[in-house]
Amino acid sequence: MKASPNHRKALLLLYAVILTLVVGVCLFFSTTAIGSFLGEHFLLTRETATITAQKDPLLILVNRKHPLPEDYAPPLTEVYGVQVHEAVRSPLTELFAAAKRDGVALTVHSAYRSRAEQQAELDEKIGVYREKGMFPFFARKKAEQEVQRPGESEHQTGLALDLGGDADTDTEKAQQWLFDHAAEYGFILRYPAGKDKITGITYEPWHYRFVGIGAARAITNAGITLEEFTEETDR
Ligand SMILES: [Zn+2]
């Protein structure tokens, strides 16, 4: 039996629909595969970051998988000559006062950084490796292992601080004191030793993050990271 023109039209339409579906499905899987391969997950994770932040803005999780929205702007205030999230100001002064009572003088080495400042820091690091003769691609990869990309550094929240001693207090003494007492004031050691598989960042004994006293105590006592804590509380 010979197909009528109408039949042929219907068949062509069917083929077109099937082809569109196949191409669509292929594209969907290829982009998600590439996306996860590169560790991006932009759409999904941005949503996750927002949900966590809505629950308790102090628990906002920022890392490579959870970038901040481009328009993110925390409420800032100034203390000890640096800019911090306004929730950090009074706990930080209490922390510094308590340390002083124990004979430990603390210094803030780094606090809030804007997106542009984070970009500048990364570019500077890339420049260092380029000068050493590395190809742009490899220079960038190497730099990104040491400096977070814009949107992926929690210094952009104003809730993170790099802390140490001053001229009278050596770094080790300051770090030990913080290690013992920071949680009492709502701060956690954000990148502990042996947790780099979870945080994506190797041990940083100077980097503290304000999360509030309740969460800081819970996280520190359990010996877990903010990643693990927010995963638990999100459930
Ligand atoms: Zn830091």
Side-chain angles (χ1 to χ4, degrees), residues 110 113 153-155 160-162 191 204 206-208:
S110 185
R113 284 201 291 269
S153 165
E154 62 173 21
H155 278 283
L161 301 153
D162 294 337
Y191 307 117
E204 286 193 357
W206 58 84
H207 183 110
Y208 278 81

Side-chain angles (χ1 to χ4, degrees), residues 20-40:
T20 310
L21 278 174
V22 168
V23 169
V25 167
C26 285
L27 272 177
F28 175 76
F29 279 108
S30 68
T31 49
T32 48
I34 290 165
S36 59
F37 175 70
L38 296 174
E40 301 287 357

Side-chain angles (χ1 to χ4, degrees), residues 57-60 72 74-80 82-97 108 110-112 154-163 182 185-188 208-213:
L58 298 180
L59 290 180
I60 189 165
Y72 179 82
L76 297 170
T77 182
E78 209 185 298
V79 66
Y80 304 124
V82 293
Q83 280 190 300
V84 295
H85 189 293
E86 56 187 29
V88 171
R89 188 193 168 88
S90 103
L92 187 66
T93 54
E94 285 171 33
L95 180 83
F96 272 47
V108 184
S110 185
Y112 168 75
E154 62 173 21
H155 278 283
Q156 267 176 251
T157 63
L159 296 165
L161 301 153
D162 294 337
L163 301 172
Y185 300 89
F187 296 87
I188 56 164
Y208 278 81
R209 160 67 194 270
F210 185 71
V211 288
I213 292 175

Side-chain angles (χ1 to χ4, degrees), residues 97-117:
K100 205 175 175 186
R101 284 197 293 275
D102 287 347
V104 175
L106 297 176
T107 310
V108 184
H109 293 297
S110 185
Y112 168 75
R113 284 201 291 269
S114 69
R115 194 178 187 90
E117 284 165 337

Side-chain angles (χ1 to χ4, degrees), residues 160-189:
L161 301 153
D162 294 337
L163 301 172
D166 74 349
D168 298 323
T169 306
D170 64 56
T171 310
E172 223 168 283
K173 192 177 167 190
Q175 283 173 357
Q176 186 57 50
W177 189 91
L178 285 164
F179 200 69
D180 295 336
H181 299 285
E184 296 160 30
Y185 300 89
F187 296 87
I188 56 164
L189 179 69

